[in-house]
Amino acid sequence: MHPYELILTAMLRLQIENIELKRQLESIQSKSVTGSVADRIDEWLNRPYTGSSRKDIEEFSEELIEYMSSQLKA
């Protein structure tokens, strides 16, 4: 096998490994965010209303949006 072929083969293997590692990392991050959002929902469900139910839902929605935005920036 020509040395260039060896280099190209090694690069291809590294690219495939890199793609798989990125996929695994995204899966781990997704599970972490999902668990965190679930915890926030549990906390919200255990809180008493602070005014009308609609206002409470909107305030909680704002909390979730802020959290998701911070996770997307990270």
Side-chain angles (χ1 to χ4, degrees):
M1 190 178 261
H2 194 276
Y4 290 129
E5 289 179 57
L6 291 172
I7 293 170
L8 290 174
T9 301
M11 288 178 62
L12 179 61
R13 287 181 182 166
L14 287 172
Q15 285 177 333
I16 291 169
E17 183 178 342
N18 188 36
I19 290 168
E20 178 60 23
L21 289 172
K22 282 182 179 179
R23 187 193 63 75
Q24 290 175 7
L25 181 59
E26 288 171 356
S27 176
I28 290 168
Q29 289 172 335
S30 175
K31 288 177 185 175
S32 173
V33 170
T34 301
S36 184
V37 169
D39 291 342
R40 290 171 185 273
I41 291 171
D42 280 339
E43 291 171 11
W44 176 67
L45 289 172
N46 290 322
R47 279 190 244 162
Y49 281 131
T50 55
S52 71
S53 62
R54 179 65 187 188
K55 185 176 186 303
D56 193 55
I57 291 169
E58 288 174 357
E59 288 174 359
F60 178 66
S61 297
E62 287 177 17
E63 285 181 38
L64 279 182
I65 290 169
E66 286 176 18
Y67 173 73
M68 296 303 289
S69 294
S70 72
Q71 293 303 303
L72 290 173
K73 292 177 185 176

